[in-house]
Amino acid sequence: MTTCDREPTLLPMAEAIARMSTTITPVTATETQPLTQLLDRVLAQPVHAQLAVPGHDNAAMDGYALRAADGDAPRELVGQALAGHPFEGEIKPGQCVRITTGAMLPAGADTVIMQENTRTDAQQVWPIQTPRAGDNIRRAGEDIAPGSQVLPKGHRVGPVDVALLASVGIAKAWVYRRLKVAILSTGDELVAPGAPLAPGQLYDSNRFGIAAVLQRLNVQVIDLGLIADDPAAIHLALQRASEQADVVISSGGVSVGEADHVKDVLTDLGQINFWKVAIKPGKPFAFGTLGDAFFFGLPGNPVSAMVTLHQLAMPVLRTMAGEHIQNADTFQVKSASKYRKRPGRLDFQRATLSEQDGQCTVSRNGPQGSGVLTSFRGANCYVVLEQERGSVEEEEFVTVLPFDRFIR
Ligand code: AMP
Ligand code: MG
């Protein structure tokens, strides 16, 4: 029996992502941005180096540049090469030059002997160890060859990438425009933090969590606030949202309760592609189109909202933003916890991966209810229990998916 036989409307997660990815259209508009604004932008063109890095053969150590062929013989000290101040002449047999780390290797030299491996006086240098040709030299272009690709198109620029781009002299680059994402919460019971709560009310946490994740993704967030469980209000909010944004993300109201109007409004205003995915937490997750915009309807339960945003919406948002994404690395690790599970849904348990006596182990991070946000606190990974898997005993191997920087 397959999952689909058990609950035919539940779409396996991989299929849901595949369907969404083929439905969306990535942004095509581009703009140039200066180096200082490139962090977390997505490159719209590959970046090539116009020069070699290092730009010239240079010393990897402080010492003396000399010719290996002179062996152990003492060398006459004829000058110095400092970083930014090359030695102008050429080193002849029997000569050497004082050299500092990063300084250009003088003509005629083929090795650098470390300062610690020499004895010196004002005029002469005696090698303590026999120098070998090529020692302590960083070759021109050994890091980056001129003309080679430094970063590919579709790459999200990280902090080290900024340094890399600077190292090849790139002062600006072409990137895709940022996505515009409108967010809203639905629920008559919800109150914005800062206001007092009446009996039965609770604070809207999803909108703030979603906005924070989107901030990490570097999208432009349009916060449409809290919307009541009223079809007309939801209709108006979704319509406005779809006119302003590339993507609309709501939370709540996608289950089958009396107050769950989002799905109906979406049917009215746009098209639902699917609205139930075989994952836990987060079974009710709607995806569809709203005019020219795309719509993600996240479940209301706070953990479900975060997990579905992270695992279902995020890869699609990143693809829409022009990013070429790779599957995240997962690891097989022995479980220190038991899990009760029935086959049918892919389960994302919040967990802690740690090392004990040289062995990696992973433990459940406290209670895992779909409203228990503290299950994320201190956790550093998901234990991903495969859709068709049943209960797990201690010491069984489980799949670990480390948290990425978008959720941590
Ligand atoms: P719903 O999906 O609208 O049926 O909501 C499921 C549960 O999540 C209910 O207990 C809601 O009160 C709660 N919930 C819905 N939206 C939010 C939100 N924005 N912040 C915190 N909890 C929420
Ligand atoms: Mg609700």
Side-chain angles (χ1 to χ4, degrees):
M1 191 168 94
T2 68
T3 319
C4 297
D5 299 324
R6 264 192 295 275
E7 206 165 341
T9 50
L10 286 190
L11 197 63
M13 178 168 132
E15 210 177 302
I17 291 179
R19 270 213 218 172
M20 293 189 282
S21 303
T22 52
T23 307
I24 53 108
T25 37
V27 293
T28 50
T30 58
E31 60 194 21
T32 50
Q33 286 292 323
L35 186 60
T36 52
Q37 299 302 310
L38 287 179
L39 181 64
D40 268 324
R41 298 299 299 261
V42 178
L43 294 175
Q45 284 180 3
V47 178
H48 290 93
Q50 304 302 324
L51 44 73
V53 177
H56 43 77
D57 289 356
N58 70 92
M61 297 277 183
D62 290 339
Y64 298 90
L66 37 79
R67 304 165 80 107
D70 293 337
D72 293 334
R75 315 296 208 273
E76 179 198 357
L77 187 57
V78 295
Q80 59 177 18
L82 307 179
H85 302 280
F87 177 70
E88 304 285 349
E90 183 181 346
I91 298 185
K92 310 241 163 40
Q95 294 184 334
C96 72
V97 152
R98 169 86 184 127
I99 195 163
T100 58
T101 304
M104 197 168 152
L105 194 71
D110 60 5
T111 185
V112 169
I113 186 167
M114 275 168 70
Q115 190 168 308
E116 293 85 336
N117 291 336
T118 60
R119 273 187 312 114
T120 57
D121 65 21
Q123 287 90 39
Q124 283 203 304
V125 176
W126 288 265
I128 297 174
Q129 277 182 3
T130 313
R132 287 177 317 177
D135 274 0
N136 303 313
I137 293 173
R138 298 189 288 219
R139 293 291 175 195
E142 75 177 14
D143 185 2
I144 300 170
S148 65
Q149 184 175 289
V150 179
L151 291 172
K153 173 182 169 173
H155 182 81
R156 178 178 292 272
V157 177
V160 178
D161 299 327
V162 175
L164 184 59
L165 291 169
S167 77
V168 293
I170 300 289
K172 54 185 195 296
W174 284 97
V175 294
Y176 291 111
R177 77 159 169 83
R178 292 159 77 209
L179 282 185
K180 275 183 266 187
V181 181
I183 59 171
L184 55 103
S185 291
T186 69
D188 285 348
E189 75 281 29
L190 301 176
V191 174
L197 290 178
Q201 291 185 322
L202 64 139
Y203 286 117
D204 173 12
S205 59
N206 290 346
R207 195 159 42 93
F208 297 91
I210 294 166
V213 171
L214 294 177
Q215 222 173 311
R216 286 269 165 92
L217 252 194
N218 197 18
V219 306
Q220 201 181 322
V221 176
I222 304 167
D223 187 349
L224 298 175
L226 267 171
I227 313 295
D229 285 322
D230 163 43
I234 294 173
H235 193 284
L236 189 67
L238 291 189
Q239 188 163 23
R240 285 215 183 123
S242 69
E243 285 159 8
Q244 296 176 54
D246 303 302
V247 176
V248 181
I249 300 180
S250 72
S251 77
V254 280
S255 329
V256 287
E258 296 74 61
D260 294 324
H261 305 297
V262 172
K263 202 178 129 251
D264 297 337
V265 173
L266 189 61
T267 316
D268 247 25
L269 261 180
Q271 266 185 329
I272 297 185
N273 192 305
F274 59 82
W275 67 285
K276 275 189 179 181
V277 182
I279 81 166
K280 187 183 174 189
K283 177 169 76 172
F285 169 90
F287 170 69
T289 49
L290 262 181
D292 290 336
F294 295 92
F295 176 79
F296 298 107
L298 311 184
N301 275 310
V303 174
S304 310
M306 281 295 134
V307 171
T308 52
L309 174 67
H310 189 215
Q311 291 301 310
L312 282 163
M314 175 95 78
V316 185
L317 287 169
R318 290 172 68 184
T319 304
M320 264 191 97
E323 196 178 343
H324 296 175
I325 54 173
Q326 263 129 37
N327 285 340
D329 294 326
T330 57
F331 304 91
Q332 294 298 312
V333 177
K334 259 188 194 173
S335 176
S337 309
K338 284 183 181 176
Y339 296 95
R340 288 194 51 212
K341 179 180 183 297
R342 275 186 311 187
R345 289 204 269 162
L346 184 63
D347 194 336
F348 289 89
Q349 300 266 332
R350 283 73 65 207
T352 312
L353 180 65
S354 60
E355 195 205 288
Q356 270 167 19
D357 310 323
Q359 289 261 320
C360 274
T361 134
V362 64
S363 332
R364 183 197 359 254
N365 199 48
Q368 297 282 312
S370 58
V372 183
L373 270 182
T374 52
S375 63
F376 271 104
R377 189 178 59 200
N380 58 15
C381 64
Y382 295 112
V383 163
V384 185
L385 303 174
E386 290 75 8
Q387 189 171 328
E388 289 310 309
R389 195 161 183 181
S391 291
V392 173
E393 297 302 324
E394 278 171 37
E395 299 285 290
E396 268 186 54
F397 278 91
V398 290
T399 302
V400 166
L401 173 63
F403 284 169
D404 57 29
R405 67 196 181 88
F406 300 112
I407 196 79
R408 217 176 163 181

mmCIF file of all heavy atoms in Angstrom, residues 91-129:
data_model
loop_
_atom_site.group_PDB
_atom_site.id
_atom_site.type_symbol
_atom_site.label_atom_id
_atom_site.label_comp_id
_atom_site.label_asym_id
_atom_site.label_seq_id
_atom_site.Cartn_x
_atom_site.Cartn_y
_atom_site.Cartn_z
ATOM 1 N N ILE A 91 68.752 38.642 -9.006
ATOM 2 C CA ILE A 91 69.675 37.949 -8.104
ATOM 3 C C ILE A 91 70.633 37.088 -8.923
ATOM 4 O O ILE A 91 70.196 36.244 -9.707
ATOM 5 C CB ILE A 91 68.896 37.088 -7.098
ATOM 6 C CG1 ILE A 91 68.014 38.010 -6.250
ATOM 7 C CG2 ILE A 91 69.833 36.280 -6.213
ATOM 8 C CD1 ILE A 91 67.290 37.303 -5.147
ATOM 9 N N LYS A 92 71.894 37.308 -8.699
ATOM 10 C CA LYS A 92 72.938 36.571 -9.437
ATOM 11 C C LYS A 92 73.417 35.409 -8.568
ATOM 12 O O LYS A 92 73.160 35.388 -7.366
ATOM 13 C CB LYS A 92 74.097 37.520 -9.737
ATOM 14 C CG LYS A 92 73.672 38.838 -10.376
ATOM 15 C CD LYS A 92 74.294 39.011 -11.734
ATOM 16 C CE LYS A 92 73.608 40.073 -12.565
ATOM 17 N NZ LYS A 92 73.181 41.290 -11.884
ATOM 18 N N PRO A 93 74.125 34.444 -9.163
ATOM 19 C CA PRO A 93 74.676 33.341 -8.366
ATOM 20 C C PRO A 93 75.422 33.876 -7.148
ATOM 21 O O PRO A 93 76.127 34.877 -7.242
ATOM 22 C CB PRO A 93 75.621 32.633 -9.337
ATOM 23 C CG PRO A 93 75.047 32.913 -10.686
ATOM 24 C CD PRO A 93 74.469 34.294 -10.597
ATOM 25 N N GLY A 94 75.200 33.239 -6.006
ATOM 26 C CA GLY A 94 75.886 33.632 -4.779
ATOM 27 C C GLY A 94 75.236 34.801 -4.053
ATOM 28 O O GLY A 94 75.729 35.228 -3.010
ATOM 29 N N GLN A 95 74.131 35.276 -4.565
ATOM 30 C CA GLN A 95 73.481 36.425 -3.911
ATOM 31 C C GLN A 95 72.137 36.031 -3.291
ATOM 32 O O GLN A 95 71.568 34.984 -3.606
ATOM 33 C CB GLN A 95 73.221 37.537 -4.947
ATOM 34 C CG GLN A 95 74.482 38.140 -5.506
ATOM 35 C CD GLN A 95 74.180 39.283 -6.450
ATOM 36 O OE1 GLN A 95 73.114 39.344 -7.052
ATOM 37 N NE2 GLN A 95 75.133 40.201 -6.579
ATOM 38 N N CYS A 96 71.640 36.881 -2.413
ATOM 39 C CA CYS A 96 70.271 36.727 -1.906
ATOM 40 C C CYS A 96 69.706 38.089 -1.547
ATOM 41 O O CYS A 96 70.432 39.087 -1.509
ATOM 42 C CB CYS A 96 70.216 35.793 -0.692
ATOM 43 S SG CYS A 96 70.894 36.517 0.803
ATOM 44 N N VAL A 97 68.385 38.090 -1.318
ATOM 45 C CA VAL A 97 67.671 39.319 -0.994
ATOM 46 C C VAL A 97 66.768 39.025 0.201
ATOM 47 O O VAL A 97 66.123 37.982 0.256
ATOM 48 C CB VAL A 97 66.847 39.766 -2.238
ATOM 49 C CG1 VAL A 97 65.626 40.561 -1.835
ATOM 50 C CG2 VAL A 97 67.711 40.563 -3.201
ATOM 51 N N ARG A 98 66.742 39.923 1.139
ATOM 52 C CA ARG A 98 65.809 39.816 2.272
ATOM 53 C C ARG A 98 64.380 39.937 1.697
ATOM 54 O O ARG A 98 64.123 40.835 0.869
ATOM 55 C CB ARG A 98 66.109 40.976 3.228
ATOM 56 C CG ARG A 98 65.098 41.200 4.307
ATOM 57 C CD ARG A 98 65.381 40.319 5.497
ATOM 58 N NE ARG A 98 64.336 40.477 6.506
ATOM 59 C CZ ARG A 98 63.669 39.451 7.019
ATOM 60 N NH1 ARG A 98 63.918 38.209 6.623
ATOM 61 N NH2 ARG A 98 62.755 39.654 7.945
ATOM 62 N N ILE A 99 63.470 39.048 2.096
ATOM 63 C CA ILE A 99 62.117 39.108 1.527
ATOM 64 C C ILE A 99 61.075 38.913 2.630
ATOM 65 O O ILE A 99 61.305 38.158 3.585
ATOM 66 C CB ILE A 99 61.949 38.079 0.377
ATOM 67 C CG1 ILE A 99 60.690 38.378 -0.460
ATOM 68 C CG2 ILE A 99 61.908 36.644 0.908
ATOM 69 C CD1 ILE A 99 60.682 37.686 -1.821
ATOM 70 N N THR A 100 59.955 39.635 2.519
ATOM 71 C CA THR A 100 58.875 39.471 3.513
ATOM 72 C C THR A 100 57.670 38.798 2.846
ATOM 73 O O THR A 100 57.527 38.823 1.620
ATOM 74 C CB THR A 100 58.434 40.831 4.097
ATOM 75 O OG1 THR A 100 58.013 41.670 3.020
ATOM 76 C CG2 THR A 100 59.556 41.504 4.862
ATOM 77 N N THR A 101 56.820 38.225 3.664
ATOM 78 C CA THR A 101 55.654 37.477 3.177
ATOM 79 C C THR A 101 54.839 38.326 2.204
ATOM 80 O O THR A 101 54.506 39.464 2.513
ATOM 81 C CB THR A 101 54.763 37.060 4.358
ATOM 82 O OG1 THR A 101 55.565 36.321 5.265
ATOM 83 C CG2 THR A 101 53.585 36.204 3.900
ATOM 84 N N GLY A 102 54.554 37.755 1.060
ATOM 85 C CA GLY A 102 53.717 38.445 0.066
ATOM 86 C C GLY A 102 54.518 39.283 -0.912
ATOM 87 O O GLY A 102 53.972 39.704 -1.941
ATOM 88 N N ALA A 103 55.798 39.522 -0.613
ATOM 89 C CA ALA A 103 56.598 40.347 -1.532
ATOM 90 C C ALA A 103 56.892 39.569 -2.810
ATOM 91 O O ALA A 103 57.013 38.340 -2.801
ATOM 92 C CB ALA A 103 57.893 40.775 -0.868
ATOM 93 N N MET A 104 56.995 40.303 -3.919
ATOM 94 C CA MET A 104 57.246 39.701 -5.230
ATOM 95 C C MET A 104 58.610 39.034 -5.249
ATOM 96 O O MET A 104 59.601 39.606 -4.782
ATOM 97 C CB MET A 104 57.197 40.836 -6.248
ATOM 98 C CG MET A 104 57.031 40.402 -7.642
ATOM 99 S SD MET A 104 56.635 41.898 -8.608
ATOM 100 C CE MET A 104 57.294 41.370 -10.156
ATOM 101 N N LEU A 105 58.644 37.820 -5.781
ATOM 102 C CA LEU A 105 59.914 37.096 -5.882
ATOM 103 C C LEU A 105 60.816 37.799 -6.893
ATOM 104 O O LEU A 105 60.409 38.023 -8.033
ATOM 105 C CB LEU A 105 59.620 35.661 -6.337
ATOM 106 C CG LEU A 105 60.761 34.675 -6.191
ATOM 107 C CD1 LEU A 105 61.019 34.362 -4.716
ATOM 108 C CD2 LEU A 105 60.474 33.394 -6.970
ATOM 109 N N PRO A 106 62.038 38.164 -6.498
ATOM 110 C CA PRO A 106 62.911 38.890 -7.436
ATOM 111 C C PRO A 106 63.334 37.999 -8.606
ATOM 112 O O PRO A 106 63.387 36.769 -8.475
ATOM 113 C CB PRO A 106 64.138 39.251 -6.592
ATOM 114 C CG PRO A 106 63.752 39.011 -5.182
ATOM 115 C CD PRO A 106 62.665 37.992 -5.184
ATOM 116 N N ALA A 107 63.625 38.614 -9.732
ATOM 117 C CA ALA A 107 64.144 37.873 -10.885
ATOM 118 C C ALA A 107 65.409 37.139 -10.459
ATOM 119 O O ALA A 107 66.197 37.646 -9.655
ATOM 120 C CB ALA A 107 64.445 38.849 -12.018
ATOM 121 N N GLY A 108 65.579 35.939 -10.969
ATOM 122 C CA GLY A 108 66.773 35.154 -10.661
ATOM 123 C C GLY A 108 66.608 34.220 -9.479
ATOM 124 O O GLY A 108 67.275 33.202 -9.389
ATOM 125 N N ALA A 109 65.691 34.543 -8.564
ATOM 126 C CA ALA A 109 65.482 33.679 -7.380
ATOM 127 C C ALA A 109 64.527 32.553 -7.727
ATOM 128 O O ALA A 109 63.611 32.739 -8.528
ATOM 129 C CB ALA A 109 64.928 34.502 -6.224
ATOM 130 N N ASP A 110 64.755 31.370 -7.135
ATOM 131 C CA ASP A 110 63.808 30.273 -7.370
ATOM 132 C C ASP A 110 63.369 29.618 -6.065
ATOM 133 O O ASP A 110 62.681 28.614 -6.059
ATOM 134 C CB ASP A 110 64.404 29.226 -8.319
ATOM 135 C CG ASP A 110 65.680 28.616 -7.777
ATOM 136 O OD1 ASP A 110 66.055 28.924 -6.625
ATOM 137 O OD2 ASP A 110 66.315 27.838 -8.517
ATOM 138 N N THR A 111 63.788 30.198 -4.942
ATOM 139 C CA THR A 111 63.351 29.644 -3.660
ATOM 140 C C THR A 111 63.428 30.727 -2.589
ATOM 141 O O THR A 111 64.130 31.732 -2.743
ATOM 142 C CB THR A 111 64.224 28.421 -3.266
ATOM 143 O OG1 THR A 111 63.705 27.843 -2.076
ATOM 144 C CG2 THR A 111 65.671 28.812 -3.037
ATOM 145 N N VAL A 112 62.676 30.469 -1.508
ATOM 146 C CA VAL A 112 62.753 31.358 -0.339
ATOM 147 C C VAL A 112 63.113 30.477 0.841
ATOM 148 O O VAL A 112 62.473 29.446 1.073
ATOM 149 C CB VAL A 112 61.404 32.078 -0.092
ATOM 150 C CG1 VAL A 112 61.407 32.791 1.266
ATOM 151 C CG2 VAL A 112 61.110 33.064 -1.218
ATOM 152 N N ILE A 113 64.159 30.860 1.544
ATOM 153 C CA ILE A 113 64.519 30.108 2.740
ATOM 154 C C ILE A 113 63.980 30.867 3.946
ATOM 155 O O ILE A 113 64.074 32.096 4.023
ATOM 156 C CB ILE A 113 66.047 29.859 2.830
ATOM 157 C CG1 ILE A 113 66.343 28.935 4.008
ATOM 158 C CG2 ILE A 113 66.830 31.154 2.925
ATOM 159 C CD1 ILE A 113 67.780 28.380 4.001
ATOM 160 N N MET A 114 63.343 30.118 4.829
ATOM 161 C CA MET A 114 62.765 30.762 6.024
ATOM 162 C C MET A 114 63.860 31.378 6.860
ATOM 163 O O MET A 114 64.926 30.778 7.052
ATOM 164 C CB MET A 114 62.080 29.705 6.896
ATOM 165 C CG MET A 114 60.670 29.386 6.513
ATOM 166 S SD MET A 114 60.134 27.898 7.391
ATOM 167 C CE MET A 114 60.032 28.504 9.065
ATOM 168 N N GLN A 115 63.552 32.523 7.402
ATOM 169 C CA GLN A 115 64.468 33.237 8.290
ATOM 170 C C GLN A 115 65.011 32.319 9.385
ATOM 171 O O GLN A 115 66.206 32.325 9.680
ATOM 172 C CB GLN A 115 63.630 34.342 8.926
ATOM 173 C CG GLN A 115 64.359 35.361 9.686
ATOM 174 C CD GLN A 115 63.366 36.503 9.946
ATOM 175 O OE1 GLN A 115 62.725 36.998 9.016
ATOM 176 N NE2 GLN A 115 63.223 36.876 11.200
ATOM 177 N N GLU A 116 64.121 31.475 9.962
ATOM 178 C CA GLU A 116 64.508 30.588 11.067
ATOM 179 C C GLU A 116 65.541 29.557 10.639
ATOM 180 O O GLU A 116 66.214 28.967 11.484
ATOM 181 C CB GLU A 116 63.272 29.835 11.595
ATOM 182 C CG GLU A 116 62.243 30.715 12.285
ATOM 183 C CD GLU A 116 61.243 31.371 11.325
ATOM 184 O OE1 GLU A 116 61.564 31.541 10.122
ATOM 185 O OE2 GLU A 116 60.143 31.725 11.771
ATOM 186 N N ASN A 117 65.679 29.316 9.326
ATOM 187 C CA ASN A 117 66.625 28.305 8.837
ATOM 188 C C ASN A 117 67.924 28.927 8.330
ATOM 189 O O ASN A 117 68.588 28.366 7.460
ATOM 190 C CB ASN A 117 65.992 27.466 7.721
ATOM 191 C CG ASN A 117 64.888 26.589 8.273
ATOM 192 O OD1 ASN A 117 64.883 26.264 9.463
ATOM 193 N ND2 ASN A 117 63.935 26.214 7.427
ATOM 194 N N THR A 118 68.241 30.125 8.852
ATOM 195 C CA THR A 118 69.468 30.805 8.410
ATOM 196 C C THR A 118 70.229 31.353 9.615
ATOM 197 O O THR A 118 69.680 31.521 10.709
ATOM 198 C CB THR A 118 69.137 32.011 7.507
ATOM 199 O OG1 THR A 118 68.337 32.930 8.255
ATOM 200 C CG2 THR A 118 68.402 31.604 6.248
ATOM 201 N N ARG A 119 71.523 31.611 9.353
ATOM 202 C CA ARG A 119 72.322 32.454 10.254
ATOM 203 C C ARG A 119 72.719 33.645 9.417
ATOM 204 O O ARG A 119 72.982 33.491 8.218
ATOM 205 C CB ARG A 119 73.587 31.713 10.721
ATOM 206 C CG ARG A 119 73.393 30.842 11.947
ATOM 207 C CD ARG A 119 74.706 30.275 12.445
ATOM 208 N NE ARG A 119 75.516 29.671 11.383
ATOM 209 C CZ ARG A 119 76.696 30.140 10.977
ATOM 210 N NH1 ARG A 119 77.204 31.254 11.509
ATOM 211 N NH2 ARG A 119 77.385 29.520 10.028
ATOM 212 N N THR A 120 72.754 34.825 10.014
ATOM 213 C CA THR A 120 73.029 35.996 9.191
ATOM 214 C C THR A 120 73.938 36.972 9.913
ATOM 215 O O THR A 120 74.012 36.981 11.149
ATOM 216 C CB THR A 120 71.729 36.780 8.882
ATOM 217 O OG1 THR A 120 71.121 37.141 10.121
ATOM 218 C CG2 THR A 120 70.762 35.978 8.059
ATOM 219 N N ASP A 121 74.650 37.762 9.135
ATOM 220 C CA ASP A 121 75.212 39.004 9.667
ATOM 221 C C ASP A 121 74.804 40.101 8.694
ATOM 222 O O ASP A 121 73.946 39.867 7.839
ATOM 223 C CB ASP A 121 76.739 38.903 9.896
ATOM 224 C CG ASP A 121 77.518 38.712 8.610
ATOM 225 O OD1 ASP A 121 76.980 39.046 7.519
ATOM 226 O OD2 ASP A 121 78.667 38.232 8.666
ATOM 227 N N ALA A 122 75.395 41.266 8.799
ATOM 228 C CA ALA A 122 74.912 42.391 7.992
ATOM 229 C C ALA A 122 75.098 42.154 6.497
ATOM 230 O O ALA A 122 74.323 42.638 5.675
ATOM 231 C CB ALA A 122 75.600 43.680 8.416
ATOM 232 N N GLN A 123 76.130 41.380 6.117
ATOM 233 C CA GLN A 123 76.424 41.222 4.687
ATOM 234 C C GLN A 123 76.065 39.849 4.122
ATOM 235 O O GLN A 123 75.915 39.696 2.909
ATOM 236 C CB GLN A 123 77.926 41.442 4.409
ATOM 237 C CG GLN A 123 78.396 42.871 4.484
ATOM 238 C CD GLN A 123 78.838 43.240 5.894
ATOM 239 O OE1 GLN A 123 79.464 42.433 6.575
ATOM 240 N NE2 GLN A 123 78.483 44.437 6.345
ATOM 241 N N GLN A 124 75.989 38.847 5.012
ATOM 242 C CA GLN A 124 75.893 37.479 4.493
ATOM 243 C C GLN A 124 74.801 36.654 5.175
ATOM 244 O O GLN A 124 74.425 36.920 6.314
ATOM 245 C CB GLN A 124 77.238 36.778 4.683
ATOM 246 C CG GLN A 124 78.254 37.238 3.645
ATOM 247 C CD GLN A 124 79.333 36.203 3.467
ATOM 248 O OE1 GLN A 124 79.988 35.826 4.439
ATOM 249 N NE2 GLN A 124 79.520 35.735 2.244
ATOM 250 N N VAL A 125 74.341 35.630 4.462
ATOM 251 C CA VAL A 125 73.318 34.712 4.973
ATOM 252 C C VAL A 125 73.817 33.280 4.754
ATOM 253 O O VAL A 125 74.214 32.925 3.637
ATOM 254 C CB VAL A 125 71.978 34.918 4.222
ATOM 255 C CG1 VAL A 125 70.940 33.907 4.674
ATOM 256 C CG2 VAL A 125 71.459 36.343 4.424
ATOM 257 N N TRP A 126 73.832 32.489 5.835
ATOM 258 C CA TRP A 126 74.219 31.072 5.725
ATOM 259 C C TRP A 126 72.990 30.193 5.891
ATOM 260 O O TRP A 126 72.323 30.258 6.936
ATOM 261 C CB TRP A 126 75.201 30.706 6.844
ATOM 262 C CG TRP A 126 76.569 31.263 6.708
ATOM 263 C CD1 TRP A 126 77.652 30.657 6.156
ATOM 264 C CD2 TRP A 126 77.021 32.543 7.164
ATOM 265 N NE1 TRP A 126 78.747 31.475 6.205
ATOM 266 C CE2 TRP A 126 78.389 32.655 6.825
ATOM 267 C CE3 TRP A 126 76.409 33.628 7.795
ATOM 268 C CZ2 TRP A 126 79.144 33.788 7.109
ATOM 269 C CZ3 TRP A 126 77.153 34.745 8.082
ATOM 270 C CH2 TRP A 126 78.510 34.828 7.739
ATOM 271 N N PRO A 127 72.687 29.390 4.911
ATOM 272 C CA PRO A 127 71.558 28.464 5.100
ATOM 273 C C PRO A 127 71.905 27.403 6.147
ATOM 274 O O PRO A 127 73.021 26.874 6.125
ATOM 275 C CB PRO A 127 71.393 27.806 3.727
ATOM 276 C CG PRO A 127 72.162 28.666 2.769
ATOM 277 C CD PRO A 127 73.264 29.304 3.554
ATOM 278 N N ILE A 128 70.983 27.126 7.062
ATOM 279 C CA ILE A 128 71.173 26.017 8.014
ATOM 280 C C ILE A 128 70.653 24.740 7.359
ATOM 281 O O ILE A 128 71.171 23.662 7.558
ATOM 282 C CB ILE A 128 70.424 26.296 9.335
ATOM 283 C CG1 ILE A 128 71.013 27.542 10.000
ATOM 284 C CG2 ILE A 128 70.501 25.112 10.275
ATOM 285 C CD1 ILE A 128 70.245 27.998 11.232
ATOM 286 N N GLN A 129 69.577 24.872 6.571
ATOM 287 C CA GLN A 129 69.070 23.733 5.790
ATOM 288 C C GLN A 129 69.319 24.032 4.319
ATOM 289 O O GLN A 129 69.236 25.198 3.910
ATOM 290 C CB GLN A 129 67.563 23.613 5.992
ATOM 291 C CG GLN A 129 67.187 22.873 7.250
ATOM 292 C CD GLN A 129 65.682 22.732 7.367
ATOM 293 O OE1 GLN A 129 64.932 23.150 6.479
ATOM 294 N NE2 GLN A 129 65.243 22.148 8.465
#
